[in-house]
């Protein structure tokens, strides 16, 4: 049985990695644009799709974490939303109406 050599791309040897190894490597590692550009230049379409999905989920996670952190820092006594709010009792100036509020 012959031993297969690891593929080489961009001067680096690429071995199969476990999710745990990837998590260890990614921990506390902000991305540098120049490093990312070089990696993307060598990436396959499948790898690009994987990275786009990863970055999309990371951005969503960071936005949600920021929202929770800011709400906690605000120290509101209760969590409230506009859902279910009865606008029937609100009065509006003559040149404004409820329709303009729904834009926001």
């Amino acid at each position: 049985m012959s031993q297969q050599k690891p593929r080489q791309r961009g001067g680096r040897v690429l071995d199969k990695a476990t999710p745990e190894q990837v998590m260890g490597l990614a921990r506390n590692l902000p991305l540098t644009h120049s490093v990312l550009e070089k990696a993307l230049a060598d990436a396959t379409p499948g790898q690009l799709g994987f990275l786009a999905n990863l970055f999309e989920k990371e951005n969503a996670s960071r936005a949600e974490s920021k929202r929770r952190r800011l709400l906690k820092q605000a120290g509101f006594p209760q969590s409230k939303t506009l859902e279910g709010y009865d606008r029937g009792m609100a009065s509006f100036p003559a040149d404004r109406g409820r329709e303009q509020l729904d834009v926001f």
Side-chain angles (χ1 to χ4, degrees):
M1 204 188 285
S2 67
Q3 192 173 15
Q4 191 176 15
K5 281 178 80 174
R7 295 182 300 147
Q8 283 194 312
R9 183 179 286 165
R12 290 204 50 208
V13 175
L14 301 177
D15 293 325
K16 289 186 178 183
T18 65
E20 292 80 16
Q21 288 170 322
V22 173
M23 287 296 293
L25 291 169
R27 187 169 286 123
N28 300 319
L29 182 64
L31 296 173
T32 305
H33 283 146
S34 62
V35 172
L36 181 58
E37 285 175 357
K38 289 176 187 174
L40 295 178
D42 289 337
T44 65
Q47 291 167 334
L48 290 174
F50 171 79
L51 288 173
N53 187 37
L54 173 69
F55 294 160
E56 183 178 306
K57 288 179 181 179
E58 179 65 18
N59 285 325
S61 174
R62 287 181 185 204
E64 178 61 23
S65 294
K66 181 180 180 179
R67 186 188 70 78
R68 277 190 261 116
R69 184 181 71 251
L70 291 174
L71 282 172
K72 186 177 179 179
Q73 285 176 356
F76 296 128
Q78 277 183 305
S79 177
K80 295 184 179 183
T81 67
L82 292 176
E83 197 169 305
Y85 177 72
D86 181 15
R87 298 180 184 181
M89 300 198 45
S91 62
F92 298 93
D95 62 336
R96 297 280 182 207
R98 289 182 212 160
E99 294 79 28
Q100 280 101 0
L101 292 178
D102 288 337
V103 173
F104 302 106

